[in-house]
Amino acid sequence: MPLVETDAIVLHAFDYSETSRILRLATRDAGLQSVLARGARRSKSRFGSALDLFAQGAAQLHLKDGRDLQTLASFDVTRSRAELGEDLGRFAGASALAELVLRFSGADDVSVQLFDVLTDALDRVAEAPDSRTIEATLSGAWRLVAELGFAPTIDACASCHAPVGADDDVAFSHRAGGVLCERCSRLQPGDRTLPPAAREAIARWSGGDRLGECDERAVRAHQRLLREFLQLHLADGRALRAFDAWEQGALVAR
Ligand SMILES: [Zn+2]
């Protein structure tokens, strides 16, 4: 059984039997993997407390072709991201990002770039000031969407590629995958109207730039737009439970 060494992030974890845990890992070099960590629940486990959610480290995996559940040989934590477990808003945001990767990248298509974006996105949610965790999550989610190849078209018409006025409110169509020029939006109405500031925010978030604080209404509109976009392009109508919990929780928290 080949032993593979790779950086990995714990995206999902649950207890298995009296002594072990099963983890879903995003790895830098071996895609998404479900692994059994034997003995991880023992008090003197060789994994220590390293296997908490969103922890990142150097993992050794025994990989066997055709198996759904692989074996984790070791995990040396390099970033525990304990901040994500200590605050509900951060935890909900990080969980929504984890769900994006778990649901929408297959076993073989966690690219190095996607892994690096996820790493940075989780760090930013962990480090953001309390009032900015939602923006950090929105930014991380749009960057992951872009890395998965679904970035919306923001600066020109998604249907006919005509330029759209930089200072105009323009229609956004989920089905077309971006904004629509006036002519196209008359033929096929959009789902939402995006003011220039909202388009700029999505463009900057998708590119990994930080942004000044959004007001509450804008944040809610961004969450709604992102949810609708994910539902249409990635989720096949299935519920996004962590995303929904993040969106609902954010409403209560602000
Ligand atoms: Zn057009």
Side-chain angles (χ1 to χ4, degrees):
M1 222 187 292
L3 186 69
V4 173
E5 292 191 21
T6 176
D7 258 7
I9 303 174
V10 180
L11 294 187
H12 189 66
F14 56 93
D15 291 341
Y16 177 78
S17 80
E18 295 284 298
T19 55
S20 300
R21 269 162 92 67
I22 288 177
L23 314 171
R24 293 271 281 156
L25 299 177
T27 75
R28 197 161 195 274
D29 305 307
L32 281 180
Q33 296 288 346
S34 295
V35 298
L36 178 64
R38 280 203 185 85
R41 299 182 64 202
R42 291 204 178 99
S43 55
K44 283 188 180 163
S45 160
R46 65 202 147 113
F47 299 112
S49 59
L51 298 180
D52 287 336
L53 221 41
F54 312 123
Q56 182 166 346
Q60 289 189 315
L61 315 168
H62 289 294
L63 297 184
K64 196 170 181 185
D65 277 351
R67 256 203 199 162
D68 289 335
L69 188 63
Q70 308 288 356
T71 307
L72 185 66
S74 69
F75 191 92
D76 292 323
V77 72
T78 51
R79 291 182 227 197
S80 70
R81 299 198 178 90
E83 307 92 329
L84 293 175
E86 290 163 1
D87 175 87
L88 212 54
R90 280 178 225 285
F91 185 81
S95 299
L97 298 179
E99 179 175 62
L100 242 167
V101 172
L102 286 171
R103 283 281 296 276
F104 307 133
S105 62
D108 299 324
D109 52 317
V110 176
S111 62
V112 170
Q113 291 85 350
L114 186 72
F115 184 87
D116 290 344
V117 167
L118 176 64
T119 293
D120 190 52
L122 290 174
D123 283 343
R124 288 191 189 195
V125 175
E127 292 160 7
D130 287 353
S131 62
R132 305 293 300 279
T133 56
I134 299 177
E135 284 95 328
T137 306
L138 283 165
S139 165
W142 279 120
R143 286 169 74 198
L144 290 170
V145 166
E147 204 51 63
L148 288 165
F150 291 91
T153 307
I154 290 297
D155 49 5
C157 176
S159 184
C160 75
H161 312 294
V164 295
D167 300 326
D168 300 336
D169 287 2
V170 295
F172 185 95
S173 161
H174 290 296
R175 202 156 289 283
V179 298
L180 297 175
C181 70
E182 211 176 320
R183 190 179 66 89
C184 289
S185 70
R186 275 201 301 271
L187 298 172
Q188 176 198 26
D191 305 290
R192 300 280 172 195
T193 302
L194 290 195
R199 276 155 36 218
E200 190 198 336
I202 294 170
R204 287 180 57 178
W205 282 332
S206 301
D209 290 346
R210 289 166 208 267
L211 191 73
E213 193 158 357
C214 290
D215 67 32
E216 186 181 334
R217 249 185 86 226
V219 160
R220 288 169 62 167
H222 275 296
Q223 287 184 303
R224 191 172 56 223
L225 186 83
L226 177 59
R227 169 171 38 81
E228 292 169 349
F229 192 81
L230 294 176
Q231 284 290 2
L232 184 74
H233 288 281
L234 292 159
D236 298 331
R238 287 188 297 155
L240 293 165
R241 289 195 303 189
F243 189 99
D244 290 347
W246 169 63
E247 190 178 4
Q248 304 288 328
L251 290 182
V252 176
R254 283 176 80 108

PDB file of all heavy atoms in Angstrom, residues 25-43:
ATOM      1  N   LEU A  25     -10.628  14.662   4.565  1.00  0.00           N
ATOM      2  CA  LEU A  25      -9.486  15.559   4.421  1.00  0.00           C
ATOM      3  C   LEU A  25      -9.458  16.161   3.020  1.00  0.00           C
ATOM      4  O   LEU A  25      -9.669  15.441   2.037  1.00  0.00           O
ATOM      5  CB  LEU A  25      -8.172  14.793   4.607  1.00  0.00           C
ATOM      6  CG  LEU A  25      -7.899  14.105   5.950  1.00  0.00           C
ATOM      7  CD1 LEU A  25      -6.577  13.349   5.862  1.00  0.00           C
ATOM      8  CD2 LEU A  25      -7.880  15.130   7.077  1.00  0.00           C
ATOM      9  N   ALA A  26      -9.207  17.466   2.942  1.00  0.00           N
ATOM     10  CA  ALA A  26      -8.780  18.048   1.669  1.00  0.00           C
ATOM     11  C   ALA A  26      -7.263  17.970   1.689  1.00  0.00           C
ATOM     12  O   ALA A  26      -6.635  18.449   2.640  1.00  0.00           O
ATOM     13  CB  ALA A  26      -9.232  19.495   1.561  1.00  0.00           C
ATOM     14  N   THR A  27      -6.679  17.345   0.688  1.00  0.00           N
ATOM     15  CA  THR A  27      -5.220  17.245   0.673  1.00  0.00           C
ATOM     16  C   THR A  27      -4.663  18.052  -0.490  1.00  0.00           C
ATOM     17  O   THR A  27      -5.345  18.306  -1.485  1.00  0.00           O
ATOM     18  CB  THR A  27      -4.731  15.787   0.527  1.00  0.00           C
ATOM     19  OG1 THR A  27      -4.912  15.371  -0.832  1.00  0.00           O
ATOM     20  CG2 THR A  27      -5.470  14.852   1.467  1.00  0.00           C
ATOM     21  N   ARG A  28      -3.413  18.453  -0.330  1.00  0.00           N
ATOM     22  CA  ARG A  28      -2.790  19.284  -1.368  1.00  0.00           C
ATOM     23  C   ARG A  28      -2.454  18.444  -2.607  1.00  0.00           C
ATOM     24  O   ARG A  28      -2.549  18.931  -3.731  1.00  0.00           O
ATOM     25  CB  ARG A  28      -1.521  19.921  -0.801  1.00  0.00           C
ATOM     26  CG  ARG A  28      -1.007  21.089  -1.596  1.00  0.00           C
ATOM     27  CD  ARG A  28      -0.063  21.924  -0.758  1.00  0.00           C
ATOM     28  NE  ARG A  28       0.146  23.220  -1.378  1.00  0.00           N
ATOM     29  CZ  ARG A  28       1.062  23.437  -2.317  1.00  0.00           C
ATOM     30  NH1 ARG A  28       1.831  22.457  -2.719  1.00  0.00           N
ATOM     31  NH2 ARG A  28       1.194  24.637  -2.849  1.00  0.00           N
ATOM     32  N   ASP A  29      -2.101  17.182  -2.382  1.00  0.00           N
ATOM     33  CA  ASP A  29      -1.587  16.372  -3.495  1.00  0.00           C
ATOM     34  C   ASP A  29      -2.405  15.132  -3.812  1.00  0.00           C
ATOM     35  O   ASP A  29      -2.102  14.432  -4.771  1.00  0.00           O
ATOM     36  CB  ASP A  29      -0.149  15.936  -3.178  1.00  0.00           C
ATOM     37  CG  ASP A  29       0.740  17.124  -2.874  1.00  0.00           C
ATOM     38  OD1 ASP A  29       0.777  18.050  -3.695  1.00  0.00           O
ATOM     39  OD2 ASP A  29       1.365  17.135  -1.798  1.00  0.00           O
ATOM     40  N   ALA A  30      -3.416  14.830  -2.994  1.00  0.00           N
ATOM     41  CA  ALA A  30      -4.153  13.580  -3.228  1.00  0.00           C
ATOM     42  C   ALA A  30      -5.659  13.778  -3.178  1.00  0.00           C
ATOM     43  O   ALA A  30      -6.418  12.860  -2.863  1.00  0.00           O
ATOM     44  CB  ALA A  30      -3.714  12.526  -2.199  1.00  0.00           C
ATOM     45  N   GLY A  31      -6.127  14.976  -3.534  1.00  0.00           N
ATOM     46  CA  GLY A  31      -7.566  15.227  -3.617  1.00  0.00           C
ATOM     47  C   GLY A  31      -8.264  15.126  -2.268  1.00  0.00           C
ATOM     48  O   GLY A  31      -7.660  15.296  -1.213  1.00  0.00           O
ATOM     49  N   LEU A  32      -9.562  14.867  -2.333  1.00  0.00           N
ATOM     50  CA  LEU A  32     -10.341  14.661  -1.111  1.00  0.00           C
ATOM     51  C   LEU A  32     -10.193  13.209  -0.699  1.00  0.00           C
ATOM     52  O   LEU A  32     -10.288  12.321  -1.533  1.00  0.00           O
ATOM     53  CB  LEU A  32     -11.830  14.912  -1.374  1.00  0.00           C
ATOM     54  CG  LEU A  32     -12.360  16.327  -1.424  1.00  0.00           C
ATOM     55  CD1 LEU A  32     -13.859  16.288  -1.703  1.00  0.00           C
ATOM     56  CD2 LEU A  32     -12.109  17.052  -0.118  1.00  0.00           C
ATOM     57  N   GLN A  33      -9.989  12.980   0.583  1.00  0.00           N
ATOM     58  CA  GLN A  33      -9.843  11.605   1.054  1.00  0.00           C
ATOM     59  C   GLN A  33     -10.644  11.411   2.337  1.00  0.00           C
ATOM     60  O   GLN A  33     -10.627  12.266   3.215  1.00  0.00           O
ATOM     61  CB  GLN A  33      -8.363  11.278   1.341  1.00  0.00           C
ATOM     62  CG  GLN A  33      -7.459  11.308   0.126  1.00  0.00           C
ATOM     63  CD  GLN A  33      -7.685  10.136  -0.816  1.00  0.00           C
ATOM     64  OE1 GLN A  33      -8.331   9.144  -0.476  1.00  0.00           O
ATOM     65  NE2 GLN A  33      -7.144  10.243  -2.024  1.00  0.00           N
ATOM     66  N   SER A  34     -11.329  10.264   2.434  1.00  0.00           N
ATOM     67  CA  SER A  34     -11.906   9.834   3.708  1.00  0.00           C
ATOM     68  C   SER A  34     -10.920   8.881   4.334  1.00  0.00           C
ATOM     69  O   SER A  34     -10.485   7.924   3.688  1.00  0.00           O
ATOM     70  CB  SER A  34     -13.238   9.108   3.486  1.00  0.00           C
ATOM     71  OG  SER A  34     -14.183   9.989   2.960  1.00  0.00           O
ATOM     72  N   VAL A  35     -10.571   9.144   5.581  1.00  0.00           N
ATOM     73  CA  VAL A  35      -9.540   8.311   6.216  1.00  0.00           C
ATOM     74  C   VAL A  35      -9.983   7.866   7.606  1.00  0.00           C
ATOM     75  O   VAL A  35     -10.717   8.571   8.312  1.00  0.00           O
ATOM     76  CB  VAL A  35      -8.187   9.055   6.341  1.00  0.00           C
ATOM     77  CG1 VAL A  35      -7.637   9.422   4.977  1.00  0.00           C
ATOM     78  CG2 VAL A  35      -8.313  10.290   7.218  1.00  0.00           C
ATOM     79  N   LEU A  36      -9.518   6.693   7.978  1.00  0.00           N
ATOM     80  CA  LEU A  36      -9.720   6.185   9.326  1.00  0.00           C
ATOM     81  C   LEU A  36      -8.469   6.493  10.139  1.00  0.00           C
ATOM     82  O   LEU A  36      -7.356   6.168   9.727  1.00  0.00           O
ATOM     83  CB  LEU A  36      -9.944   4.672   9.266  1.00  0.00           C
ATOM     84  CG  LEU A  36     -10.122   3.958  10.607  1.00  0.00           C
ATOM     85  CD1 LEU A  36     -11.386   4.425  11.314  1.00  0.00           C
ATOM     86  CD2 LEU A  36     -10.160   2.441  10.402  1.00  0.00           C
ATOM     87  N   ALA A  37      -8.673   7.172  11.277  1.00  0.00           N
ATOM     88  CA  ALA A  37      -7.549   7.456  12.183  1.00  0.00           C
ATOM     89  C   ALA A  37      -7.687   6.501  13.361  1.00  0.00           C
ATOM     90  O   ALA A  37      -8.432   6.773  14.315  1.00  0.00           O
ATOM     91  CB  ALA A  37      -7.594   8.915  12.628  1.00  0.00           C
ATOM     92  N   ARG A  38      -6.996   5.386  13.255  1.00  0.00           N
ATOM     93  CA  ARG A  38      -7.130   4.353  14.295  1.00  0.00           C
ATOM     94  C   ARG A  38      -6.552   4.822  15.618  1.00  0.00           C
ATOM     95  O   ARG A  38      -5.441   5.325  15.663  1.00  0.00           O
ATOM     96  CB  ARG A  38      -6.377   3.078  13.866  1.00  0.00           C
ATOM     97  CG  ARG A  38      -7.156   2.252  12.908  1.00  0.00           C
ATOM     98  CD  ARG A  38      -6.714   0.788  12.916  1.00  0.00           C
ATOM     99  NE  ARG A  38      -7.455   0.106  11.865  1.00  0.00           N
ATOM    100  CZ  ARG A  38      -7.065   0.091  10.587  1.00  0.00           C
ATOM    101  NH1 ARG A  38      -5.930   0.644  10.238  1.00  0.00           N
ATOM    102  NH2 ARG A  38      -7.806  -0.509   9.683  1.00  0.00           N
ATOM    103  N   GLY A  39      -7.321   4.660  16.673  1.00  0.00           N
ATOM    104  CA  GLY A  39      -6.820   5.004  18.006  1.00  0.00           C
ATOM    105  C   GLY A  39      -6.862   6.488  18.315  1.00  0.00           C
ATOM    106  O   GLY A  39      -6.365   6.913  19.354  1.00  0.00           O
ATOM    107  N   ALA A  40      -7.485   7.274  17.421  1.00  0.00           N
ATOM    108  CA  ALA A  40      -7.444   8.728  17.613  1.00  0.00           C
ATOM    109  C   ALA A  40      -8.185   9.180  18.867  1.00  0.00           C
ATOM    110  O   ALA A  40      -7.950  10.279  19.364  1.00  0.00           O
ATOM    111  CB  ALA A  40      -8.019   9.431  16.388  1.00  0.00           C
ATOM    112  N   ARG A  41      -9.093   8.332  19.378  1.00  0.00           N
ATOM    113  CA  ARG A  41      -9.854   8.743  20.563  1.00  0.00           C
ATOM    114  C   ARG A  41      -9.205   8.270  21.861  1.00  0.00           C
ATOM    115  O   ARG A  41      -9.696   8.574  22.942  1.00  0.00           O
ATOM    116  CB  ARG A  41     -11.285   8.201  20.468  1.00  0.00           C
ATOM    117  CG  ARG A  41     -12.038   8.723  19.256  1.00  0.00           C
ATOM    118  CD  ARG A  41     -13.447   8.211  19.233  1.00  0.00           C
ATOM    119  NE  ARG A  41     -14.212   8.695  20.386  1.00  0.00           N
ATOM    120  CZ  ARG A  41     -15.305   8.116  20.856  1.00  0.00           C
ATOM    121  NH1 ARG A  41     -15.764   7.024  20.284  1.00  0.00           N
ATOM    122  NH2 ARG A  41     -15.933   8.623  21.885  1.00  0.00           N
ATOM    123  N   ARG A  42      -8.138   7.503  21.749  1.00  0.00           N
ATOM    124  CA  ARG A  42      -7.450   7.070  22.981  1.00  0.00           C
ATOM    125  C   ARG A  42      -6.757   8.271  23.621  1.00  0.00           C
ATOM    126  O   ARG A  42      -6.299   9.180  22.924  1.00  0.00           O
ATOM    127  CB  ARG A  42      -6.406   6.001  22.652  1.00  0.00           C
ATOM    128  CG  ARG A  42      -7.016   4.682  22.221  1.00  0.00           C
ATOM    129  CD  ARG A  42      -6.053   3.532  22.483  1.00  0.00           C
ATOM    130  NE  ARG A  42      -6.679   2.266  22.092  1.00  0.00           N
ATOM    131  CZ  ARG A  42      -6.433   1.666  20.921  1.00  0.00           C
ATOM    132  NH1 ARG A  42      -5.573   2.198  20.082  1.00  0.00           N
ATOM    133  NH2 ARG A  42      -7.063   0.540  20.620  1.00  0.00           N
ATOM    134  N   SER A  43      -6.634   8.234  24.954  1.00  0.00           N
ATOM    135  CA  SER A  43      -6.060   9.405  25.624  1.00  0.00           C
ATOM    136  C   SER A  43      -4.599   9.595  25.234  1.00  0.00           C
ATOM    137  O   SER A  43      -4.099  10.709  25.166  1.00  0.00           O
ATOM    138  CB  SER A  43      -6.220   9.279  27.133  1.00  0.00           C
ATOM    139  OG  SER A  43      -5.661   8.054  27.569  1.00  0.00           O
TER     140      SER A  43
END
